[in-house]
Amino acid sequence: MVDAGDRARDEFFSEAQEIVEGLGRDLLALDEAVRANRVDPDLINDIFRAVHTLKGLAGLFGATRMATLSHELEEVLDNLRLGRIDVSPVVLDMLFRSIELYGRILQVEKDGSELPIPEVDELLRELHRGFGQREQQPLAAEYDLDPGLLAVLTEYEEHRLRTNIQSGLILYRIRVHFQLATIDQALDELKATAKPFGEIITYLPTGTGADADSIELDILMASRSSVDELRRALAETGAEVEEIPRRPGGDVSGGLAAGAAGGGFDSGGLSSRPAMSASGPVSPHPRSSDPGALAAPPDSGAGGRKKRGELGSIRSVAQTVRVDINKLDRLMNTVGELALVRSSLGAIVERLRATPAEREMSLELHRLQRTFERHLAAIQQGILEVRMVPLGQVFDKLARVVRQISRDADKIVNLVITGAETEVDKLIVEELSDPLMHMMRNAIDHGIETRAEREAVGKPAVGTIALNAFQKGNHVVIEIEDDGRGIDATRLLDVALRRGLITQEEARTTSYREALTLIFLPGVSTKSDVSEISGRGVGMDVVKTNIGRLGGVIDVTSEVGIGTKMTVTLPITLAIISALIVRVADRLFAIPLANVQEAVGLDDHAVKRIDGREMITLRNQTLQLCYLTRLFGLDEEEELSSRIAGLLGGTRSLGGVRGGITGSRKLDRSSLGLSPGSKRKYIVVTAVGTKRLGLVVSALIGQQDVVIKTFGPSLASVRGFAGATELGDQRIALVIDAPALIFEVLSGGDRARPEPRGVHG
Amino acid sequence: MAADLAKKRPRGGMLKRNAHAQSGPRREFLAFLLAGETYAAPVKEVREIVKPPPLTPVPRAPEATMGIVSVRGQLVTVIDLRRRLRLTESQASRRTRILLVEAPWGELLGLYVDEVQQVYRLSDAEVEPAASALGGDVASYIAGIARPLQPSVEGGGSAHPPVIVLLDLQAILAS
């Protein structure tokens, strides 16, 4: 049983994580807005609120570091939103650093470690030093705004008013009548209509023109639009729009003056709107004509706002449940076990059917089994869907990295993201973030040229990196494409040759595309050697390994001077897959059907040997073959001993196995022809992307849905297998990692490595 | 019987050592056979003893890895202790067992042994620290040599005072 405290802590971590991720997104938006010179004050407010919530959470769970950091940040953000400091690059950088540090702190706290994080202390010191607050100008030098009005503005509203005046916007007074019954909705609608035209600074009841059922408001708004445009936009709301004249000493807008003098509401009162509608047109605050009495404490408005923000955040999470991914794994395992039960049931039904006396019973059982199968498939589908999350989670992180790296490298990069909504298994998303980040870093560091270089060759100064994701059948494809200098394959070959990774002969015969894949070899990743060429090799072998672990494959295309494109192809889910069970010598293996194009009989006479590789021509295309017996060091001449016969006898018959619960692609039944006695071999054509490889197996056994279990760390270094799966009766089949094999065999990725050790036993 | 023999020895020193051994703290070791010799490992490190389920060899796996088995649905990598210790390998028999132990990194591993014998409770005095006695690279896997002076807790005992090689499982698994 999980301790309640532990669960609360877990909850805390995931909630904090979520907030920090949201913060990251908001900051990116802010960064963009600053560059476009159009900062939406609501954005700063959102960030402020998020940090405030974090502070509260951290305090609750005694995460002191996080609470302190939040506290200092809150101070800075408060100054930002009140305009005491500007959203300068320095401040932005500091905010981005804080996000990274939040992540670090969360990690450290989660591990329960007291490890000091020096960067946090450093940041705290910087934050504490402050950012040099600006002197506040006396408000409304140009507009002769009524002092009564000024007195009721909160500090925030005052700041917004000042900012808008400084930007040369026109101030408008909008007088509008609302029915009390619908005021909340109507006001929101009005705000939404007005928003594109400018900013609503405050609204106050006029205190006149109201009756028992309605209320009149004066809205102070700043806008770039002309009075006519605004009138047209707001025509439907029945609002009267008037420009507030812009001359010192000029006539003050009568309405505002009247509102301030006659019915002063401090905005704290206004923000508690329910109270207002309940009490009707009568002000909850005493009416007074003495402006001095109207001066609300400047904090009360902000206080009301904060509370509203907190309420909002509670409501927003109410519809979702956070679930530990391990719990889903356990459920998935159970579904796997049920799938085995289903298959056994199928066998019993078949047996009963053969008994004439039990015909009726067998029919009934058959119907039941079909229902069971349907529901089981639904459960499986449901769990898979629950595990799916949008790639946007990792893309947001990438966008932050791009910003950081391009800044460090002094290159301007425009990141264009498409398909962030594409969904993949949560585990895959988690594991993707490091490899993608690496590729992104390479694209900026080595792909995109400096501004001067770009201009010299007539490219736009701003480099572009496209990050695309889309679904393609059972796979998700992620592309990172830059318009940089591309990879010089000839020089890549030189390096590989110098480092002894390939022979002279190979260097001469390697095609351009094959040469590009050299960047995935470990030896070519030494930056000092290749940085000049393009340096793409930095750690690309690690990236390839990590992608491979997820059952994915990575490919590269590049053109010198035009750009480079990395394509990652991944399975959508990890847990249950449909697999083709094959026999190789005396062993059973499973090949994921997602990687299988077709299975055909092997005609020994059709095999040609070219350059030491075996090929056949299949459907007018050359297909390279890979004899699994040889690759895995198994005895090719293994006769069907009694042991194998037993093995095969125990395997569920084709009929029972087919029609797997995920209903995957159907293989030609005859091509599966199960004839254990025949010496004829079969080719299983596997494919990933455009690459194809024919795996030669001894026999095809059948199709089955299997639950892949990954190897423990002790076997992590073994290449070519995605894990293993139980076939029932404790018998295990290794699951072939087709993408890895394809890569290994086709690109000769194992050339530089020692021969794989033969098998024993 | 082994202990009886020891007691009959004339030298008092031996008896004294035995008396001391009985009063000191004792540790429990599980003894098993590998290529005809008796080896032992701390009982507390052995999570479970299972009859070997069908073993699936893994091509390209490290040399001493025999393959994987499924223990109640969990995949367990099985390591051949005989191969690790450079001993001769004999055919599996009905006495063959797999010891489930936890590796330092938390993975559950299986150790293949020819036969499980019994549990010995040994005092420090009955254990001779290894290293000095043996050379070679296998030496790092050996924690000591034990010469039990009395019958084991499970009784039985054997005709000859056994010499037991105590294995350092963590060192074996980590290599």
Side-chain angles (χ1 to χ4, degrees):
Chain A
M1 246 348 254
V2 185
D3 190 84
D6 280 351
R7 196 178 304 158
R9 250 177 87 79
D10 285 350
E11 192 70 354
F12 158 63
F13 282 120
S14 50
E15 179 160 3
Q17 189 70 45
E18 221 161 79
I19 295 175
V20 171
E21 277 166 19
L23 259 179
R25 274 194 296 278
D26 285 349
L27 268 189
L28 277 174
L30 182 64
D31 183 48
E32 208 152 282
V34 168
R35 265 186 292 170
N37 203 11
R38 105 185 102 69
V39 179
D40 181 356
D42 282 349
L43 204 51
I44 300 182
N45 281 330
D46 284 347
I47 296 173
F48 176 80
R49 273 198 294 269
V51 168
H52 182 74
T53 311
L54 270 182
K55 179 171 128 179
L57 269 180
L60 213 57
F61 283 88
T64 328
R65 267 179 292 210
M66 200 156 134
T68 319
L69 178 58
S70 307
H71 180 76
E72 294 287 347
L73 271 181
E74 207 181 32
E75 199 89 331
V76 173
L77 286 165
D78 203 32
N79 283 337
L80 270 183
R81 63 184 208 112
L82 293 178
R84 295 199 196 108
I85 54 174
D86 282 324
V87 195
S88 63
V90 185
V91 174
L92 268 177
D93 267 353
M94 189 272 312
L95 289 176
F96 274 107
R97 264 166 65 206
S98 312
I99 301 296
E100 300 306 326
L101 285 177
Y102 268 132
R104 292 266 298 280
I105 293 176
L106 273 177
Q107 198 54 54
V108 169
E109 294 275 350
K110 203 170 186 174
D111 298 343
S113 127
E114 294 291 318
L115 217 67
I117 309 176
E119 288 93 328
V120 173
D121 300 330
E122 195 186 312
L123 183 69
L124 283 178
R125 274 196 299 278
E126 276 176 51
L127 284 173
H128 209 76
R129 236 178 278 136
F131 293 89
Q133 292 191 13
R134 141 163 30 106
E135 279 297 309
Q136 298 283 13
Q137 298 289 319
L139 186 63
E142 291 174 63
Y143 290 81
D144 189 12
L145 288 164
D146 183 69
L149 167 77
L150 296 184
V152 299
L153 291 180
T154 63
E155 191 183 357
Y156 177 69
E157 287 165 347
E158 205 178 305
H159 154 62
R160 293 311 310 162
L161 181 58
R162 181 179 292 120
T163 310
N164 281 307
I165 292 175
Q166 275 161 4
S167 328
L169 269 65
I170 311 163
L171 289 185
Y172 290 99
R173 176 177 61 87
I174 300 165
R175 176 165 295 183
V176 61
H177 236 81
F178 286 122
Q179 291 303 308
L180 282 177
T182 56
I183 181 165
D184 283 356
Q185 199 192 340
L187 190 59
D188 282 346
E189 273 170 26
L190 180 75
K191 280 187 195 165
T193 321
K195 174 110 190 168
F197 295 91
E199 181 180 352
I200 290 178
I201 293 161
T202 189
Y203 43 90
L204 301 165
T206 58
T208 58
D211 53 43
D213 300 318
S214 69
I215 190 168
E216 192 178 64
L217 291 185
D218 267 339
I219 295 172
L220 182 59
M221 178 171 171
S223 170
R224 267 182 217 290
S225 313
S226 73
V227 67
D228 288 335
E229 280 177 293
L230 214 53
R231 275 190 186 134
R232 230 173 298 130
L234 297 177
E236 291 215 345
T237 63
E240 299 168 34
V241 181
E242 258 176 62
E243 187 174 339
I244 299 177
R246 194 195 178 98
R247 213 168 300 130
D251 196 18
V252 183
S253 144
L256 269 175
F265 284 64
D266 71 57
S267 66
L270 268 174
S271 51
S272 52
R273 268 175 290 152
M276 188 167 84
S277 30
S279 59
V282 181
S283 155
H285 294 263
R287 282 173 182 234
S288 164
S289 52
D290 174 8
L294 296 173
D299 265 347
S300 68
R305 246 165 255 275
K306 278 183 203 170
K307 265 194 206 103
R308 237 167 37 202
E310 275 160 14
L311 272 179
S313 73
I314 289 169
R315 233 176 270 132
S316 66
V317 296
Q319 290 302 310
T320 56
V321 193
R322 284 193 208 87
V323 183
D324 184 347
I325 192 88
N326 291 320
K327 286 188 186 163
L328 291 178
D329 278 346
R330 281 202 289 278
L331 272 182
M332 209 53 174
N333 271 331
T334 312
V335 169
E337 305 294 327
L338 279 178
L340 292 180
V341 172
R342 176 198 58 113
S343 303
S344 309
L345 260 179
I348 294 175
V349 172
E350 291 289 317
R351 274 220 314 273
L352 270 182
R353 236 186 221 174
T355 322
E358 307 285 357
R359 221 186 125 66
E360 204 169 313
M361 179 90 94
S362 90
L363 272 177
E364 210 168 305
L365 197 57
H366 182 65
R367 267 199 302 278
L368 268 181
Q369 194 220 0
R370 291 281 289 276
T371 317
F372 177 57
E373 227 173 82
R374 226 180 23 249
H375 291 317
L376 189 59
I379 293 177
Q380 185 191 342
Q381 193 56 38
I383 298 176
L384 286 181
E385 271 166 26
V386 168
R387 294 172 57 102
M388 303 284 261
V389 290
L391 275 170
Q393 282 191 1
V394 64
F395 284 6
D396 286 342
K397 262 197 249 173
L398 284 179
R400 281 212 300 279
V401 171
V402 166
R403 183 187 175 280
Q404 188 64 45
I405 304 173
S406 56
R407 197 174 260 272
D408 292 349
D410 194 27
K411 292 170 184 171
I412 313 176
V413 174
N414 187 19
L415 180 68
V416 185
I417 297 180
T418 61
E421 72 286 348
T422 313
E423 289 193 324
V424 289
D425 192 280
K426 170 84 177 163
L427 271 183
I428 299 183
V429 169
E430 302 266 293
E431 297 295 319
L432 260 184
S433 101
D434 282 353
L436 286 184
M437 215 164 285
H438 212 110
M439 289 155 70
M440 210 43 114
R441 190 179 289 273
N442 277 340
I444 300 169
D445 274 354
H446 312 301
I448 303 288
E449 312 91 329
T450 63
R451 225 174 306 175
E453 280 172 334
R454 291 184 69 90
E455 274 163 357
V457 295
K459 286 187 184 178
V462 176
T464 300
I465 296 181
L467 177 59
N468 306 321
F470 52 91
Q471 193 175 332
K472 196 173 163 191
N474 267 344
H475 287 89
V476 162
V477 181
I478 300 173
E479 299 171 339
I480 295 183
E481 185 171 13
D482 66 58
D483 66 347
R485 58 170 73 93
I487 301 173
D488 187 341
T490 9
R491 300 192 63 177
L492 210 53
L493 279 174
D494 282 349
V495 174
L497 194 59
R498 259 212 316 281
R499 309 197 116 244
L501 297 169
I502 52 171
T503 63
Q504 283 280 2
E505 174 65 26
E506 282 169 329
R508 225 183 358 244
T509 54
T510 306
S511 74
Y512 177 75
R513 283 209 57 171
E514 273 179 329
L516 285 179
T517 61
L518 284 170
I519 61 167
F520 299 118
L521 284 185
V524 193
S525 54
T526 319
K527 200 178 165 189
S528 60
D529 263 10
V530 246
S531 65
E532 216 198 323
I533 303 173
S534 79
R536 271 317 164 101
V538 187
M540 284 309 289
D541 62 315
V542 180
V543 169
K544 204 203 110 218
T545 312
N546 287 344
I547 299 284
R549 264 219 314 265
L550 297 172
V553 68
I554 183 169
D555 201 7
V556 56
T557 57
S558 182
E559 226 168 301
V560 176
I562 307 285
T564 302
K565 178 157 128 187
M566 296 275 177
T567 309
V568 175
T569 311
L570 290 162
I572 291 177
T573 63
L574 289 175
I576 289 196
I577 55 153
S578 290
L580 178 65
I581 312 292
V582 300
R583 180 170 62 79
V584 179
D586 60 340
R587 309 262 183 80
L588 293 182
F589 292 90
I591 306 174
L593 268 186
N595 302 123
V596 175
Q597 278 190 338
E598 60 180 325
V600 295
L602 171 65
D603 178 2
D604 283 326
H605 306 294
V607 179
K608 293 184 183 62
R609 283 181 179 70
I610 305 166
D611 189 22
R613 295 170 177 202
E614 278 122 331
M615 318 270 191
I616 60 155
T617 304
L618 185 67
R619 311 207 192 295
N620 294 324
Q621 273 189 305
T622 305
L623 177 72
Q624 189 175 332
L625 297 181
C626 169
Y627 287 81
L628 288 184
T629 39
R630 221 178 297 153
L631 190 72
F632 294 156
L634 304 175
D635 187 359
E636 209 161 343
E637 296 308 312
E638 183 85 34
E639 282 299 314
L640 282 172
S641 64
S642 57
R643 181 172 153 223
I644 305 163
L647 203 68
L648 291 172
T651 306
R652 280 177 296 284
S653 70
L654 206 56
V657 174
R658 278 179 62 98
I661 51 178
T662 51
S664 51
R665 112 184 51 179
K666 294 271 178 285
L667 282 161
D668 179 20
R669 190 170 185 140
S670 63
S671 74
L672 289 174
L674 177 61
S675 44
S678 111
K679 295 284 284 180
R680 195 177 184 209
K681 291 186 165 63
Y682 290 87
I683 304 171
V684 177
V685 184
T686 56
V688 173
T690 54
K691 295 192 167 76
R692 299 199 309 161
L693 179 68
L695 302 179
V696 179
V697 303
S698 313
L700 304 171
I701 306 297
Q703 178 189 335
Q704 190 171 339
D705 284 339
V706 298
V707 180
I708 295 192
K709 294 175 179 174
T710 48
F711 288 153
S714 55
L715 293 177
S717 61
V718 179
R719 290 175 300 132
F721 301 103
T725 186
E726 274 187 79
L727 298 174
D729 330 328
Q730 289 187 309
R731 280 177 311 108
I732 295 171
L734 299 181
V735 179
I736 288 176
D737 181 355
L741 278 192
I742 291 174
F743 186 86
E744 179 183 327
V745 176
L746 288 191
S747 70
D750 56 343
R751 251 182 268 170
R753 303 190 182 112
E755 273 297 295
R757 218 192 310 263
V759 90
H760 37 71
Chain B
M1 247 217 281
D4 289 343
L5 283 173
K7 271 176 193 160
K8 275 176 199 156
R9 288 189 185 179
R11 266 175 287 163
M14 200 61 188
L15 278 173
K16 226 183 266 168
R17 195 175 138 196
N18 193 24
H20 172 75
Q22 275 169 336
S23 64
R26 288 177 173 275
R27 285 179 293 153
E28 291 185 331
F29 289 85
L30 178 72
F32 44 84
L33 275 185
L34 294 174
E37 299 289 334
T38 306
Y39 292 78
V43 165
K44 64 172 172 21
E45 289 187 34
V46 179
R47 181 104 60 90
E48 194 178 341
I49 303 167
V50 294
K51 286 189 181 173
L55 191 89
T56 307
V58 179
R60 308 164 149 207
E63 195 205 342
T65 304
M66 296 185 82
I68 49 179
V69 295
S70 165
V71 179
R72 289 183 298 275
Q74 189 182 358
L75 286 190
V76 176
T77 306
V78 179
I79 291 164
D80 192 341
L81 271 186
R82 302 165 307 189
R83 215 174 280 165
R84 215 9 100 68
L85 297 171
R86 315 260 159 85
L87 305 170
T88 52
E89 294 160 37
S90 51
Q91 284 290 314
S93 74
R94 59 185 182 84
R95 293 206 172 119
T96 305
R97 292 291 181 275
I98 289 174
L99 312 182
L100 297 183
V101 296
E102 197 173 307
W105 54 91
E107 184 185 0
L108 194 64
L109 293 175
L111 299 178
Y112 195 87
V113 300
D114 288 333
E115 183 183 335
V116 169
Q117 293 190 309
Q118 61 180 53
V119 172
Y120 286 98
R121 295 183 66 215
L122 300 174
S123 71
D124 287 347
E126 288 164 293
V127 176
E128 174 191 343
S132 56
L134 285 145
D137 56 347
V138 171
S140 63
Y141 302 150
I142 294 172
I145 307 289
R147 294 185 181 81
L149 299 171
Q150 57 173 20
S152 72
V153 284
E154 297 199 342
S158 58
H160 311 286
V163 174
I164 303 170
V165 182
L166 302 183
L167 294 177
D168 181 347
L169 290 186
Q170 299 306 314
I172 293 176
L173 299 180
S175 66

